[in-house]
Amino acid sequence: MDFLRKTAIRITNHTEPKKRPLFSSATNKMNVPVLLQHPHRYFLKRLLRTPFRCYHFIFHSSTHLRSGSPWARPFDSLRLHCTKWMLLSDGLKRKLCLQTTLKKHTEGLSDKEQRFVDKLYTGLIQGQRAHLAEAITLIESTHSRKKELAQVLLQKVLVYHREQEQLNKGKPRAFRVGLSGPPGAGKSTFIEYFGKMLTERGHKLSVLAVDPSSCTSGGVGQSEFAVADMVDMFVLLLPPAGGDELQGIKRGIIEMADLVAITKSDGDLVVPARRIQAEYVSALKLLRKRSEVWRPKVVRISARSGEGITEMWDKMKEFRDLMLASGELIARRQKQQKVWMWNLIQESVLEHFRTHPTVREQIPLLERKVLSGALSPGLAADLLLKAFKTKTNEIHPIQ
């Protein structure tokens, strides 16, 4: 009883246990005797329905309680470990879910694996680059056990990330910008100049470099759509030229751009840069509007002279502020989370399908029959799917 008395702020001194509300809307106080009568599930159900915003609790695991206490076991079964909770209705539900999921994933780890994950987690939140590199290696591993450890690490980071956002009044702690453009657009030069400008202004910057361009045409490939689904703002860099140099850019990429920057706008290239800028300003007006509060802009920049870089950063901040104020930025991130989940599911299911013993044995035969025209692609797919579902070693393609 003494422990629970210390966990709540503004506790009333009611002594009657019966017919007392769990919380009093009139006094904004909690009745501890009533709390002790409820099983933990019922308690939480009532707790999460209460529209309060100013209560603070500290729950501890039962190792800090007297063993055998009838009111200690329910809290231990929740597996809440030394965590301070601000009960903000939806925020509590989300954090409870994250903590429970994390506990479930860590139960199967050995002591060595737990120390390894904890080491990487501590290094990540402290900003240690060596641990970041080691964490990236772990996440990219295709080994089944390492993939499980990676998910535990990511879940721990997610819990920390949510806590930091709550401290930041629910606002994202980082601004994610994706840069794309055809070869020769000056992406690397721009990143170097732009990054130095940001770090000189006191910002912390991280760069994830990928090469998604098509190996055959050299133009922008399908992977650019994946990049656009990972960032808050998608920026398209274009060189001050037209015709063949820009033929590889798909219209869909241009439609996804929140900002278009014409690079190398200096010296003799100023005139063509202005012409390309005018063309894209007109073209963007014809495209469908992706946001209710933002219309894509077209700017001219030069990483050599620095012209337009500061103005470009101002446009990016304007975009961030407008999208955040309207709620579209958070909605975009939520949509991306859902897309990532289903992409991972598709990759995992396809890999599981290809490595299935029965399917793996039949793939070469059915592929040959499809190539020779003896079997339609649709029927071949149906046969493989049936083999996968039935888990038998018998499959009878058309002869």
Side-chain angles (χ1 to χ4, degrees):
M1 174 69 88
D2 291 338
F3 168 75
L4 286 180
R5 290 183 188 276
K6 295 178 182 178
T7 62
I9 296 177
R10 309 176 193 172
I11 301 177
T12 60
N13 293 321
H14 297 297
T15 56
E16 287 187 13
K18 296 183 179 180
K19 298 182 181 180
R20 292 286 184 176
L22 187 58
F23 289 92
S24 171
S25 58
T27 61
N28 284 334
K29 297 177 181 180
M30 177 170 57
N31 300 324
V32 171
V34 177
L35 182 152
L36 295 178
Q37 297 176 23
H38 297 288
H40 65 280
R41 290 184 178 85
Y42 179 70
F43 163 69
L44 282 179
K45 184 177 180 181
R46 292 284 304 276
L47 191 67
L48 296 177
R49 290 180 176 177
T50 305
F52 51 80
R53 295 184 177 275
C54 59
Y55 298 100
H56 292 73
F57 298 88
I58 300 178
F59 291 106
H60 292 272
S61 65
S62 63
T63 55
H64 299 282
L65 306 176
R66 296 178 181 177
S67 60
S69 299
W71 43 269
R73 289 189 295 271
F75 285 97
D76 179 55
S77 64
L78 289 176
R79 294 167 181 166
L80 307 179
H81 289 264
C82 300
T83 303
K84 185 174 182 179
W85 296 72
M86 177 176 286
L87 302 186
L88 296 175
S89 193
D90 291 340
L92 172 62
K93 295 178 184 178
R94 180 170 58 250
K95 190 168 184 179
L96 177 61
C97 179
L98 291 174
Q99 291 282 8
T100 304
T101 303
L102 177 60
K103 181 63 179 177
K104 181 179 180 180
H105 278 280
T106 56
E107 283 180 342
L109 300 185
S110 65
D111 292 340
K112 182 179 180 181
E113 290 173 334
Q114 186 65 62
R115 288 193 300 269
F116 175 66
V117 172
D118 291 340
K119 181 194 71 171
L120 292 183
Y121 169 75
T122 303
L124 287 175
I125 65 175
Q126 292 178 353
Q128 299 179 14
R129 296 184 181 181
H131 289 88
L132 174 61
E134 194 171 358
I136 292 176
T137 301
L138 175 66
I139 293 171
E140 290 181 340
S141 175
T142 58
H143 188 273
S144 59
R145 187 55 179 173
K146 290 184 178 180
K147 289 172 68 175
E148 294 177 5
L149 296 180
Q151 293 306 316
V152 173
L153 175 62
L154 289 175
Q155 189 68 24
K156 288 174 68 68
V157 173
L158 178 61
V159 173
Y160 175 80
H161 176 69
R162 295 302 184 193
E163 291 174 350
Q164 294 302 305
E165 283 191 345
Q166 289 298 323
L167 295 176
N168 197 37
K169 299 180 180 180
K171 298 179 181 179
R173 301 276 297 181
F175 182 44
R176 308 167 185 166
V177 179
L179 301 173
S180 178
K187 296 184 291 293
S188 299
T189 306
F190 168 77
I191 290 173
E192 181 179 3
Y193 187 97
F194 188 64
K196 287 181 179 179
M197 183 193 75
L198 292 179
T199 54
E200 288 173 357
R201 296 187 180 190
H203 297 286
K204 292 183 178 181
L205 183 71
S206 62
V207 178
L208 176 62
V210 295
D211 185 15
S213 298
S214 170
C215 60
T216 55
S217 65
V220 177
Q222 182 68 24
S223 298
E224 295 298 77
F225 289 94
V227 173
D229 277 332
M230 298 179 186
V231 297
D232 302 322
M233 186 178 196
F234 188 65
V235 179
L236 183 62
L237 302 180
L238 299 177
D244 296 338
E245 292 88 345
L246 301 181
Q247 290 300 318
I249 297 181
K250 297 181 179 179
R251 178 182 175 182
I253 294 296
I254 299 175
E255 291 179 340
M256 298 181 69
D258 299 302
L259 182 67
V260 177
I262 311 301
T263 61
K264 305 179 182 179
S265 180
D266 53 60
D268 296 337
L269 295 177
V270 171
V271 174
R274 288 175 178 171
R275 176 174 55 83
I276 294 297
Q277 181 185 24
E279 292 178 358
Y280 273 89
V281 167
S282 300
L284 289 174
K285 292 180 181 179
L286 303 177
L287 301 178
R288 61 187 180 90
K289 192 176 181 180
R290 298 180 59 236
S291 169
E292 295 294 331
V293 298
W294 177 259
R295 172 70 66 178
K297 307 292 192 301
V298 184
V299 298
R300 289 184 296 108
I301 61 173
S302 171
R304 186 171 69 176
S305 66
E307 181 182 354
I309 302 294
T310 300
E311 291 75 12
M312 181 178 177
W313 174 233
D314 291 337
K315 295 292 184 184
M316 296 166 72
K317 291 190 294 183
E318 180 186 357
F319 169 87
R320 179 195 60 191
D321 295 340
L322 287 174
M323 295 289 285
L324 189 60
S326 68
E328 289 189 35
L329 184 61
I330 302 300
R332 178 177 291 192
R333 286 195 172 191
Q334 292 174 343
K335 181 180 178 181
Q336 289 172 350
Q337 295 276 10
K338 182 178 178 180
V339 171
W340 296 347
M341 181 190 74
W342 282 107
N343 285 342
L344 291 172
I345 290 175
Q346 290 175 2
E347 293 177 4
S348 179
V349 169
L350 183 59
E351 179 64 21
H352 186 56
F353 177 81
R354 289 180 177 273
T355 57
H356 188 275
T358 306
V359 174
R360 186 175 61 244
E361 292 176 0
Q362 295 298 326
I363 284 178
L365 174 62
L366 293 180
E367 284 183 341
R368 288 195 300 269
K369 290 188 175 294
V370 169
L371 290 174
S372 65
L375 195 64
S376 69
L379 182 55
D382 289 342
L383 291 171
L384 288 175
L385 288 172
K386 289 179 180 178
F388 179 74
K389 292 178 181 178
T390 58
K391 299 182 180 180
T392 63
N393 293 322
E394 296 183 2
I395 186 171
H396 306 286
I398 297 177
Q399 299 297 325

